[in-house]
Amino acid sequence: MAVEGQVEVEGRDERQQQLWRRARALATCAAALTLILGLAVLVGWAADSRVLTQVRPGFPAMVPMTALGLMFTALAELALGTERPGWRRAGSLLGLAVALQAGLVLATYVWSTVAAPGLLRELGGRTSPQTATGLLLLGLALALRDATGRGSRVFQALALSALGVSFTLLLAYTFQERRFYEFDAYGTGIAVHSAVGLMLLAVGAVLLRPERGFVSVVLRAGAGGMMARRLLPALLLPVLGVLLVDRAIRQEALDPRLAWSLLEVAQTVVLAFVVWRAAARLNTLQVEQQRSEARSEDDARTQRRLAQENARLHARAEEASQAREDALAVVSHDLKNPLTTVRLGTQLLARRLQATPGAQGLQQQVDSIDRAARCMQDLIHQLLDAARLDAGRELVMDRMPEPLEALTREALESVASLATEKNLRLEHTVAGELRVFCDRPRILQVLANLLGNAVKFTPRGGTVTVSATRAGDSVRVSVRDTGPGIPQADQAHLFKRHWQARDTAEQGSGLGLYIACGIVTAHGGQLAVASDEGAGTTFTFTLPLPPGDFPCLLYPSDAADEARSV
């Protein structure tokens, strides 16, 4: 459900972007048509064609200055419609130049009318005041196209004003109202194709920023924008209707009363149809919105149920983990005492059998019992440690400064007998001055595990090496063997709980490396492995130096311990 909602939002955004792209493309087309119109008028003046310059006898002609003004404005709009910053800056400057030229033309009209009325006829060939006004509004609008804040609102107002001026002039031509498109003084005025060019440029200017202002509301992908786009064409109905009625009355084809009555009926029917169609679409959108809201509510309920179920499962998992830990604690406590008794008994028997002649066979049995009891004790401790790590709690460490050489030698002694049986060579390269800040029994447990694995999996005649080097504020301890190595696919699973490779699945509990990693992590270090098949394996872990070995790097907890001891 959530994916469907996301797809719906992305689809709406894509529709919005598509509407804006179409608006900018329409602005480019309008500017290109105006550029062609201006070129045609210039060709008409060069070829002395009244059709291109005047359109119809009795109409004002478009002068070359007007054609050039329209062409420069069209070029400015084409430049502002691109994504190149340099071109857009050039378009803004060109729009400002058009506005200055139009303002100068209007100033000459004012000057010639007020200061020197007789010079008005002598200054012929100028752009008409109506065209100059439209070009002034368009030039200022284009100069502010990339403005922000209040400048953006001024751009919209200027572009809409130019649109209103050009629309009014076209209506004046439609109804032959000469007082609008002619200049009363000497019969000059705006040409009909000049009004068309201004209209195209004004539409293009308004569409240059479809994401803001009036156009953004009309081009919105939502219900309001859709309704506006459906209702806007209906605004042309009164204009077309009045035009047809006016023509019919002028030609005496219809009685005026009948004509206006028919126009009223037609407008009412068409407007009713447009309103009905928009209302039907809005009702459809409302139904879709209600379905979407219902799906959202279902998603929310599903998410709440999942959250509650997850919380319940988490609580049960916590209870199960605690119950397991409690059971392990009880079992370990109940087993420790009998195992301790067994080991004390085996040790007592071993001492007495040493003084008894001919008891060597019985001595071996007693040693076997003691080893089995010791293995059971180690397994109990491992299970308790694993349960503590599974619960997210660190192992308790009693850290003290310890000589690393003594630790590693003691660990090597624990595997010396097994190494002798397999004819393995044990090497020891640990400097005597190295010390670490650690829990001695726990680090012996880590070393015993790593060395035990190395001895266990190294073939006869191989070598097991323990080494250590200082690395900054820590010591890096390595246990390296010459065994068969560990496959790359298995190395990522070595430190997981109960994980064992297939060929060694019956040789241990799978907890040794898991607990060793937890012990090293509790010391603030890291346990890592490096191995290539057939080239041996190296396990490396880091331990911190004692605080006294780097006084500038005292840990806060250690400093507090030292303060308490003082």
Side-chain angles (χ1 to χ4, degrees):
M1 294 294 184
V3 174
E4 292 180 1
Q6 183 179 0
V7 171
E8 183 178 354
V9 172
E10 292 177 354
R12 191 184 304 115
D13 293 341
E14 178 60 30
R15 288 195 300 271
Q16 184 68 76
Q17 295 293 334
Q18 186 177 9
L19 288 173
W20 289 347
R21 287 194 295 269
R22 289 178 178 177
R24 295 189 182 98
L26 184 58
T28 302
C29 291
L33 289 175
T34 307
L35 189 62
I36 295 172
L37 176 63
L39 286 173
V41 171
L42 292 179
V43 171
W45 279 102
D48 196 17
S49 172
R50 289 184 174 273
V51 175
L52 295 178
T53 59
Q54 198 174 3
V55 178
R56 181 178 175 181
F59 282 2
M62 184 191 297
V63 297
M65 181 183 292
T66 299
L68 290 174
L70 292 176
M71 291 173 64
F72 286 140
T73 308
L75 290 174
E77 287 191 4
L78 290 174
L80 287 169
T82 65
E83 297 297 330
R84 299 179 180 179
W87 283 54
R88 290 169 66 172
R89 284 193 296 270
S92 298
L93 293 176
L94 188 56
L96 183 60
V98 170
L100 290 175
Q101 188 266 344
L104 289 175
V105 170
L106 289 176
T108 60
Y109 275 103
V110 174
W111 176 73
S112 60
T113 302
V114 176
L119 296 177
L120 187 59
R121 180 181 295 275
E122 298 178 6
L123 297 175
R126 291 174 299 167
T127 299
S128 66
Q130 299 93 327
T131 307
T133 302
L135 290 177
L136 176 63
L137 294 172
L138 284 171
L140 292 175
L142 296 179
L144 295 173
R145 190 269 180 200
D146 290 331
T148 57
R150 184 175 298 178
S152 177
R153 292 192 291 272
V154 174
F155 158 75
Q156 295 285 340
L158 291 172
L160 290 174
S161 299
L163 182 61
V165 169
S166 59
F167 184 70
T168 302
L169 293 170
L170 284 177
L171 284 181
Y173 264 105
T174 302
F175 293 104
Q176 294 296 301
E177 183 55 56
R178 293 179 175 271
R179 289 174 294 182
F180 279 92
Y181 62 82
E182 286 188 353
F183 190 53
D184 291 339
Y186 297 101
T188 60
I190 181 171
V192 61
H193 41 345
S194 297
V196 173
L198 286 177
M199 185 74 175
L200 290 173
L201 291 174
V203 171
V206 170
L207 296 178
L208 278 177
R209 296 199 72 171
E211 73 280 0
R212 293 189 179 183
F214 168 79
V215 181
S216 67
V217 177
V218 177
L219 295 181
R220 192 69 57 83
M226 183 275 300
M227 184 179 66
R229 291 190 295 275
R230 289 177 178 270
L231 293 179
L232 273 180
L235 297 178
L236 297 177
L237 178 63
V239 178
L240 296 176
V242 171
L243 176 62
L244 293 175
V245 169
D246 181 71
R247 292 293 183 186
I249 293 175
R250 286 177 183 270
Q251 296 177 4
E252 297 182 356
L254 286 176
D255 180 72
R257 292 185 179 181
L258 177 61
W260 293 114
S261 299
L262 291 176
L263 175 63
E264 183 66 26
V265 172
Q267 287 182 343
T268 302
V269 172
V270 173
L271 287 175
F273 172 75
V274 171
V275 172
W276 168 81
R277 188 182 176 192
R281 181 56 181 166
L282 286 177
N283 290 335
T284 302
L285 292 176
Q286 183 179 8
V287 171
E288 294 178 357
Q289 182 180 3
Q290 290 174 349
R291 291 176 180 173
S292 178
E293 291 176 353
R295 288 196 298 268
S296 299
E297 292 177 358
D298 292 340
D299 291 343
R301 285 193 292 268
T302 302
Q303 294 294 334
R304 286 195 294 270
R305 287 197 299 269
L306 290 175
Q308 293 173 356
E309 182 66 16
N310 289 336
R312 186 180 64 83
L313 293 175
H314 178 72
R316 290 183 59 182
E318 291 287 343
E319 293 175 358
S321 178
Q322 185 62 40
R324 181 187 61 186
E325 191 171 347
D326 293 342
L328 285 174
V330 171
V331 170
S332 64
H333 181 270
D334 292 344
L335 289 178
K336 279 182 180 179
N337 291 335
L339 287 174
T340 302
T341 303
V342 170
R343 294 204 63 192
L344 289 174
T346 55
Q347 292 171 5
L348 179 61
L349 283 174
R351 286 195 297 269
R352 290 186 177 181
L353 290 174
Q354 289 177 357
T356 304
Q360 292 181 355
L362 186 59
Q363 177 72 35
Q364 293 178 356
Q365 295 296 326
V366 171
D367 291 341
S368 299
I369 295 172
D370 185 66
R371 283 196 301 270
R374 186 171 65 251
C375 289
M376 291 182 66
Q377 283 184 330
D378 293 340
L379 182 58
I380 291 172
H381 292 150
Q382 288 181 358
L383 289 173
L384 290 174
D385 290 341
R388 191 173 290 108
L389 292 173
D390 290 342
R393 298 200 300 268
E394 289 188 355
L395 301 177
V396 179
M397 299 293 150
D398 184 15
R399 296 190 291 176
M400 295 290 291
E402 298 287 346
L404 185 58
E405 182 186 19
L407 273 173
T408 53
R409 288 194 181 278
E410 185 176 347
L412 284 171
E413 290 175 0
S414 66
V415 296
S417 59
L418 182 58
T420 301
E421 292 178 5
K422 297 185 65 176
N423 194 25
L424 298 180
R425 181 181 176 183
L426 299 180
E427 294 185 352
H428 180 263
T429 57
V430 179
E433 68 275 8
L434 282 179
R435 297 195 309 159
V436 291
F437 193 58
C438 67
D439 185 319
R440 180 184 179 86
R442 290 292 192 178
I443 297 304
L444 281 174
Q445 182 180 349
V446 173
L447 288 169
N449 180 269
L450 297 180
L451 288 170
N453 289 338
V455 171
K456 185 187 303 182
F457 299 114
T458 300
R460 300 183 64 85
T463 302
V464 175
T465 304
V466 178
S467 61
T469 57
R470 181 166 177 169
D473 58 352
S474 62
V475 175
R476 183 178 291 109
V477 183
S478 300
V479 176
R480 184 173 65 254
D481 63 54
T482 57
I486 303 172
Q488 190 69 29
D490 294 343
Q491 293 180 22
H493 307 283
L494 285 176
F495 305 114
K496 293 182 179 179
R497 189 176 190 269
H498 288 308
W499 186 89
Q500 290 177 291
R502 292 182 179 179
D503 53 350
T504 62
E506 303 299 328
Q507 300 187 32
S509 62
L511 294 175
L513 288 177
Y514 176 67
I515 296 171
C517 186
I519 293 173
V520 173
T521 302
H523 281 80
Q526 292 181 339
L527 177 60
V529 62
S531 179
D532 294 321
E533 292 188 63
T537 302
T538 301
F539 282 91
T540 303
F541 64 93
T542 57
L543 293 173
L545 291 170
D549 290 1
F550 51 104
C552 295
L553 298 176
L554 276 174
Y555 295 109
S557 59
D558 301 333
D561 293 339
E562 287 190 1
R564 284 193 294 270
S565 64
V566 172

